[in-house]
Amino acid sequence: MPILTLIAADSLESGIISEACDRLAAHSCVPATTDWLAEGRAVDIVFDGTLAHARTAVATLEDRVDVVVQHEEQRRKMLLVSDMDSTMITVECIDELADFAGIKPEIAAITERAMAGELDFAEALKARVALLAGLDAEMIEQCLHERVRPMPGAETLVRTMTAWGAHAVLVSGGFTSFTGPVAAMLGFAEVHANVLEIEQGRLTGRLAADIVDAATKRQVLQSAAGTLGLDLNSALAVGDGANDMPMIAEAVSADGLGVGYHPRPQLAAAANFAVRHNDLTALLFAQGIKPDAWAR
């Protein structure tokens, strides 16, 4: 059966639930049962109808609550593929490194345009890395210690999913200097990222291997599913920017869960679930997991 999940950041008012049911019914989606995932916070509404009609029916609720519409079958995913910067952690690492070099505004402006899809990601990355030439490599460790923090709900999401046997992959257009420690902190089993070239203790302004870009992220999703023998409807892909669009669109096209986390508009349009109001635990509610089953 199809299922609608409403997730509130604070309190899920009964009026919103009633409104959702009324809107479903008005679009030929007949509500059947209602079940609290967390009372006053997240609720499932099972209905009879099409996903497309239901999404149209409840689209206007998205400015108040997070909304996901999906089939109840295979709701719990066995593959998590996630972006890192501004998704699993609260910062863009290259912007924070740039701060140590005294050029954060210049690099951050390029980052924002790249994440919004206004610039070619690979070229924008090479341009930003070039501006870091000469930076003391010890600043990476300092940046990790002082600036890199997990996104709220990140560790709970990853460790809860891996506890039921899901495979978690961190794939980033950022750098292995950060993805390794972040993966270890949060519980990811597999990591893909770019490699900063360092010579004589300083960044050269070049990358030491092929660029991990949007196409790579999609390939990582496909490869991980193939290795595990999974269909992509068992996958959850999540990110925040334009370079996450191909992997998220791939998950969506296979009836998996493609999530835009506080996404730029271009990515939100490609996703079948946009988290705008909640932290990453919304992805557990989307999979029907109640808080008493979350990893702590």
Side-chain angles (χ1 to χ4, degrees):
M1 289 283 287
I3 192 164
L4 161 67
T5 305
L6 305 176
I7 310 162
D10 297 310
S11 176
L12 186 59
E13 299 174 2
S14 59
I16 294 180
I17 299 173
S18 297
E19 182 180 349
C21 289
D22 290 345
R23 289 183 177 277
L24 286 172
H27 285 76
S28 302
C29 298
V30 181
T33 62
T34 300
D35 178 42
W36 284 109
L37 293 169
E39 190 165 354
R41 174 83 191 283
V43 68
D44 281 342
I45 303 172
V46 176
F47 64 91
D48 183 18
T50 69
L51 300 189
H53 285 170
R55 286 174 179 142
T56 299
V58 298
T60 57
L61 301 179
E62 292 183 346
D63 62 344
R64 288 176 279 167
V65 294
D66 290 327
V67 176
V68 57
V69 179
Q70 60 189 318
H71 290 293
E72 191 171 13
E73 300 79 12
Q74 293 184 304
R75 186 181 183 188
R76 185 178 295 199
K77 305 305 182 187
M78 296 305 297
L79 173 62
L80 169 65
V81 180
S82 178
D83 175 45
M84 182 179 72
D85 296 86
S86 297
T87 302
M88 286 291 148
I89 60 174
T90 60
V91 296
E92 295 283 338
C93 289
I94 193 166
D95 295 355
E96 300 310 311
L97 276 182
D99 201 19
F100 287 98
I103 54 172
K104 183 174 181 177
E106 182 178 355
I107 284 188
I110 300 173
T111 299
E112 182 55 35
R113 292 186 65 197
M115 291 302 98
E118 298 174 6
L119 300 174
D120 176 79
F121 178 81
E123 293 305 314
L125 178 63
K126 288 189 285 187
R128 286 175 289 164
V129 171
L131 292 172
L132 295 176
L135 182 67
D136 190 330
E138 291 185 359
M139 295 299 100
I140 294 173
E141 186 64 32
Q142 186 174 345
C143 185
L144 268 166
H145 178 71
E146 295 181 1
R147 308 288 179 89
V148 175
R149 298 290 182 269
M151 191 68 72
E155 185 172 3
T156 299
L157 169 67
V158 178
R159 296 198 183 277
T160 301
M161 290 188 67
T162 56
W164 71 59
H167 184 68
V169 183
L170 189 65
V171 56
S172 174
F175 311 116
T176 53
S177 303
F178 295 96
T179 54
V182 168
M185 174 175 58
L186 299 181
F188 283 91
E190 183 180 335
V191 176
H192 300 267
N194 295 298
V195 182
L196 287 168
E197 185 179 79
I198 298 172
E199 292 180 355
Q200 297 181 342
R202 293 189 177 276
L203 275 62
T204 66
R206 298 184 296 272
L207 295 170
D210 292 339
I211 290 177
V212 173
D213 59 8
T216 308
K217 291 187 174 189
R218 179 176 58 192
Q219 291 164 3
V220 166
L221 173 67
Q222 294 169 331
S223 177
T227 298
L228 295 167
L230 296 173
D231 292 330
L232 283 176
N233 60 4
S234 293
L236 188 166
V238 56
D240 71 299
N243 67 322
D244 299 308
M245 282 181 60
M247 74 170 181
I248 286 172
E250 187 79 6
V252 170
S253 68
D255 290 327
L257 199 58
V259 183
Y261 184 71
H262 297 272
R264 275 75 170 185
Q266 191 177 22
L267 178 62
N272 57 10
F273 178 29
V275 179
R276 297 184 175 90
H277 306 284
N278 290 275
D279 65 24
L280 285 165
T281 58
L283 277 63
L284 292 173
F285 283 130
Q287 295 178 82
I289 311 303
K290 298 181 179 182
D292 60 5
W294 295 356
R296 301 295 182 181

